[in-house]
Amino acid sequence: SVPLLQAARKKNSLNLLELTEAELEEQFVRGDGPGGQATNKTNNCVVLKHVPSGIVVKCHQTRSLEKNRKIAREILQEKVDLFYKGEDSDVFKEKKASEKQKQEKRRKAKENLERKKLFKEMQQLDKK
């Protein structure tokens, strides 16, 4: 179920499982990455664990602790929903739909490129 969990973080999901605070373990740690002193000396990275499923989320998207807490809860809620519902999850269905759109877009672009190549070849043959 690891590939399923990678589908999380889609904003339009409405029908997600609810999380209770009793099921969560929250830690604040120092973030990593670029940002210098603002990152290295503040504990604004949130590590959130859903105890029943064992899913852990680490969020350090902003410098604000409160925003990171909110974002971590959203991501965790989506991952827990995927964990329990699997392919029936709205998050999974949205991910599949977006992948299908991307494939269709790629296919159309490839067809268009082929048409352009043929057109150029025809122009060169006409010149000769």
Side-chain angles (χ1 to χ4, degrees):
S1 63
V2 173
L4 282 179
L5 293 178
Q6 292 174 351
R9 197 61 183 130
K10 293 285 174 188
K11 294 199 180 242
N12 298 333
S13 302
L14 302 172
N15 199 10
L16 299 177
L17 294 172
E18 292 297 319
L19 299 177
T20 60
E21 290 296 319
E23 297 175 330
L24 304 178
E25 285 181 7
E26 187 174 42
Q27 288 181 315
F28 306 109
V29 296
R30 288 195 178 120
D32 55 359
Q37 184 175 358
T39 300
N40 299 334
K41 287 198 171 188
T42 58
N43 290 341
N44 57 5
C45 181
V46 178
V47 178
L48 202 58
K49 180 178 181 181
H50 184 250
V51 177
S53 65
I55 297 173
V56 178
V57 170
K58 184 176 180 182
C59 179
H60 187 237
Q61 293 182 6
T62 68
R63 289 174 60 181
S64 167
L65 179 66
E66 289 305 314
K67 286 182 185 176
N68 286 335
R69 289 181 76 201
K70 183 180 179 207
I71 295 168
R73 279 171 171 68
E74 290 171 0
I75 295 170
L76 184 66
Q77 187 177 20
E78 292 175 1
K79 286 193 178 206
V80 167
D81 190 69
L82 276 169
F83 182 77
Y84 286 116
K85 291 183 181 177
E87 292 183 8
D88 295 330
S89 172
D90 289 345
V91 177
F92 184 78
K93 290 175 184 175
E94 285 179 21
K95 179 74 171 178
K96 281 289 187 190
S98 71
E99 295 232 350
K100 198 171 187 178
Q101 285 177 338
K102 283 181 186 177
Q103 287 176 348
E104 184 64 22
K105 197 172 182 180
R106 279 192 212 114
R107 186 187 62 78
K108 285 182 181 180
K110 194 173 184 180
E111 285 177 3
N112 200 11
L113 190 65
E114 289 295 322
R115 268 193 243 115
K116 284 181 180 179
K117 281 183 182 178
L118 284 172
F119 182 71
K120 281 189 176 183
E121 287 175 9
M122 296 294 282
Q123 279 183 331
Q124 287 180 353
L125 287 176
D126 288 344
K127 287 181 182 178
K128 291 181 182 180

